[in-house]
Amino acid sequence: MIELKHLKTLHALSQHGSLAAAATYLHQTQSALSHQFSDLEHRLGFKLFVRKSQPLRFTPQGEVLLQLAQQILPMVKDAIRVCNEPGVSTLRIAIECHSCIQWLTPALQQFRQTWPQVSVDFKSGVTFDPQPELLSRELDIVLTSDILADKEIHYTPLFDYEVKLIVANDHPLARKPIIAPHDLADETLLIYPVQRHRFDVWRHFLQPAGVSPSVKTVDNTLILIQMVAAKMGIAALPHWAVDSFEKQGLISIKTLGNGLWSRLYAACREGEQRQPAIEAFTKTATSHAVDNLSYVKPVKVSSAYVPTEKQQLGSLQW
């Protein structure tokens, strides 16, 4: 029957001494505040203060409820403050790609400047599947483009990026303006040691065309780039991850079809996406990537984000 807004109103009335002053403080009209009191008094069955008293005087029942407000409101304020604090002392982050490191490290430094009380621990690798570790609470955030249809995991979009084919500068494909799936039929595709169906280039470019090139796994991005430059294979990687290598003259970058786009997410346990430290890290990572990475696009989605059927099937572009 007694709501928090009633306690706030009683406290404001006590502090400001009149309905008019309390209404101004609470950004309400005097009429609305008077109606609120009248409705509450009717439901309680007693008066809370003496109308037109100067200075304003509470009834004995009003004094009791005012004391309640003075006890409860500071407790509520403290509880909200605690809720807005990190809630964790360590944020455990996993990434599914080595190429994330080049932008994630400065993003982590920026996060730690504003959240020095939260230590960050992260691990990288493509030979493990971190999302089950997320559910077992061994991790707090996983940076991934691989969407699992699991209601216990929440995916916050970070940014969109285009996947590009990289080839040696003197490779025959370097002279083609646009790459078709059949152009890769006789090539060796260098990929990280992950099931090939998790790669968008395989699932959404090669497989629909019935093209199945030979595959060789490489677990290090720098080695992969060097192998491509040495004409030991080709690879498909995010444009932002290979742009610097092209500028150094090590490789050539080509467009796959009409453009093959993917999306990076920060995955966490459902219900924890608004946890202050996790939300702050996600916003920091997003803003840093969009501001500093070439060839990425900010994600335009509603707050109630729901992955598409294609995204729910899972993809990996590292």
Side-chain angles (χ1 to χ4, degrees):
M1 186 176 291
I2 298 291
E3 300 177 21
L4 187 61
K5 68 176 181 180
H6 299 137
L7 299 181
K8 290 181 178 179
T9 302
L10 282 169
H11 187 263
L13 193 59
S14 171
Q15 292 293 306
H16 297 278
S18 69
L19 272 175
T24 299
Y25 172 75
L26 295 171
H27 304 289
Q28 297 185 35
T29 64
Q30 183 174 346
S31 174
L33 203 61
S34 178
H35 178 75
Q36 182 188 131
F37 271 117
S38 296
D39 179 65
L40 178 61
E41 289 173 334
H42 176 74
R43 288 190 283 133
L44 292 174
F46 50 77
K47 297 294 184 180
L48 295 173
F49 63 95
V50 179
R51 279 2 183 231
K52 298 183 180 180
S53 57
Q54 190 65 33
L56 186 140
R57 180 163 52 88
F58 284 91
T59 64
Q61 295 92 335
E63 290 285 356
V64 171
L65 293 183
L66 178 59
Q67 291 179 16
L68 177 64
Q70 292 168 342
Q71 295 173 0
I72 295 296
L73 292 178
M75 294 173 63
V76 172
K77 183 178 180 180
D78 286 344
I80 293 175
R81 176 184 56 78
V82 171
C83 288
N84 283 318
E85 289 178 348
V88 295
S89 58
T90 301
L91 201 58
R92 299 160 301 176
I93 302 171
I95 56 179
E96 292 186 329
C97 62
H98 295 284
S99 54
C100 272
I101 295 294
Q102 65 188 40
W103 70 267
L104 181 59
T105 300
L108 287 174
Q109 293 174 345
Q110 183 177 338
F111 170 78
R112 294 176 68 180
Q113 289 176 359
T114 54
W115 291 78
Q117 68 273 49
V118 177
S119 62
V120 177
D121 181 28
F122 73 95
K123 61 180 180 178
S124 170
V126 294
T127 59
F128 76 104
D129 186 0
Q131 298 197 48
E133 294 187 32
L134 184 66
L135 293 175
S136 65
R137 310 193 75 85
E138 296 179 33
L139 295 171
D140 301 303
I141 298 175
V142 173
L143 298 181
T144 180
S145 60
D146 198 0
I147 300 296
L148 302 180
D150 192 322
K151 294 182 179 179
E152 297 183 24
I153 298 180
H154 177 88
Y155 295 89
T156 300
L158 298 182
F159 57 84
D160 290 338
Y161 60 92
E162 186 177 4
V163 178
K164 291 282 192 172
L165 184 75
I166 60 172
V167 299
N169 291 325
D170 57 348
H171 193 287
L173 292 178
R175 297 190 295 271
K176 298 201 62 170
I178 296 178
I179 305 299
H182 62 81
D183 292 326
L184 309 185
D186 297 325
E187 302 293 335
T188 297
L189 182 65
L190 305 179
I191 64 172
Y192 296 116
V194 176
Q195 300 94 330
R196 65 185 66 182
H197 69 268
R198 292 178 61 189
F199 291 86
D200 272 355
V201 68
W202 193 274
R203 296 182 61 251
H204 303 295
F205 185 71
L206 296 172
Q207 195 173 48
V211 176
S212 182
S214 61
V215 169
K216 183 177 180 61
T217 59
V218 183
D219 60 5
N220 182 285
T221 300
L222 292 178
I223 292 177
L224 186 150
I225 296 294
Q226 292 171 0
M227 292 177 66
V228 169
K231 298 179 70 173
M232 298 173 66
I234 61 174
L237 293 173
H239 197 172
W240 56 264
V242 296
D243 178 56
S244 62
F245 298 108
E246 183 185 41
K247 290 178 178 177
Q248 295 175 49
L250 297 177
I251 55 169
S252 293
I253 296 176
K254 312 303 298 182
T255 299
L256 290 164
N258 294 321
L260 182 61
W261 285 82
S262 192
R263 179 170 293 172
L264 188 68
Y265 302 87
C268 67
R269 289 177 289 277
E270 180 61 51
E272 296 185 12
Q273 62 269 22
R274 300 303 298 272
Q275 201 260 16
I278 291 177
E279 186 174 35
F281 168 79
T282 301
K283 290 181 178 179
T284 299
T286 299
S287 61
H288 181 84
V290 171
D291 292 343
N292 292 278
L293 294 182
S294 302
Y295 310 109
V296 303
K297 295 180 180 179
V299 179
K300 297 180 179 180
V301 295
S302 65
S303 57
Y305 177 73
V306 178
T308 64
E309 181 180 356
K310 169 181 175 272
Q311 291 161 340
Q312 287 175 342
L313 290 173
S315 63
L316 189 68
Q317 278 305 333
W318 315 113

